[in-house]
Amino acid sequence: DHSMGLCVGLGAMFVTGVCNNPFMLLSRQMGLLLKLINEDRCELINEQGHHSDRQLDVSVEKHFNLALDRLAEWREAEKEDLSLGVKMEDIHSELLEETKTPFSEEEERLLDFHYSNLEYACGDTLDKISAKHWDHNDSFPQFSGSHALIAGGFQAVLDRLAQ
């Protein structure tokens, strides 16, 4: 759908981690269509509705993961907390300076995807999340395994429950 001026996917819901996830059981009991996602081949789609360059995405994801590694090193040594957004931008700038390679507009958009995905996982914007404690729940059991797509989205689950 392009009605809002951007490419927006409609009608699907991701289930993060299918092992022991009650949404998977509920969806199967309701007979809803489920599709496991191949995490090695989950392509990003840009604003024009085209697949993003796979090699560029892999490169940006490595940069993002390196930034998370640097964040882990920083928080071991630092006593004062910052917002995750501020610290990730600082680390991003440091990495660009070290490599002396600026990011293109496309690379910045791909990095924004990874930031958005992190916001989704944390439940808030990066400027409102602690850089020292953003992953505090990692020590608790979480849903593991592949991710899945429920065709028809969460509305399909609600409609079936309403019946």
Side-chain angles (χ1 to χ4, degrees):
D1 179 20
H2 287 81
S3 64
M4 296 189 306
L6 298 171
C7 178
V8 178
L10 302 173
M13 176 183 131
F14 277 103
V15 176
T16 307
V18 298
C19 295
N20 299 319
N21 193 317
F23 268 112
M24 290 302 293
L25 177 61
L26 193 59
S27 299
R28 285 189 176 124
Q29 288 174 339
M30 294 177 169
L32 298 175
L33 178 63
L34 301 167
K35 178 169 176 39
L36 292 181
I37 304 301
N38 180 350
E39 293 171 34
D40 295 333
R41 191 75 175 144
C42 187
E43 295 181 18
L44 300 179
I45 299 174
N46 63 25
E47 292 90 351
Q48 292 76 37
H50 301 100
H51 289 140
S52 294
D53 180 275
R54 178 76 177 142
Q55 286 308 111
L56 199 58
D57 179 38
V58 167
S59 174
V60 171
E61 186 176 12
K62 285 180 182 176
H63 176 92
F64 175 74
N65 288 331
L66 180 57
L68 290 177
D69 291 343
R70 292 271 180 99
L71 177 65
E73 293 168 7
W74 168 83
R75 76 174 167 192
E76 292 299 320
E78 194 61 40
K79 295 209 182 326
E80 188 177 331
D81 202 356
L82 295 171
S83 78
L84 186 55
V86 166
K87 193 60 196 168
M88 287 298 284
E89 279 301 317
D90 288 349
I91 294 170
H92 171 56
S93 296
E94 289 169 13
L95 290 172
L96 292 179
E97 201 171 295
E98 285 175 24
T99 61
K100 302 205 182 324
T101 308
F103 263 26
S104 67
E105 241 181 78
E106 180 69 14
E107 287 168 311
E108 288 291 345
R109 280 194 295 272
L110 288 167
L111 184 61
D112 284 343
F113 165 79
H114 292 288
Y115 287 156
S116 296
N117 200 31
L118 186 56
E119 289 175 331
Y120 168 74
C122 292
D124 210 339
T125 58
L126 296 184
D127 63 317
K128 295 180 182 171
I129 299 168
S130 161
K132 290 186 72 79
H133 305 289
W134 68 274
D135 61 349
H136 68 281
N137 66 335
D138 280 358
S139 58
F140 297 101
Q142 305 197 18
F143 300 126
S144 61
S146 297
H147 303 321
L149 191 67
I150 299 177
F154 193 64
Q155 187 64 47
V157 176
L158 294 175
D159 288 344
R160 293 302 285 275
L161 285 172
Q163 293 174 359

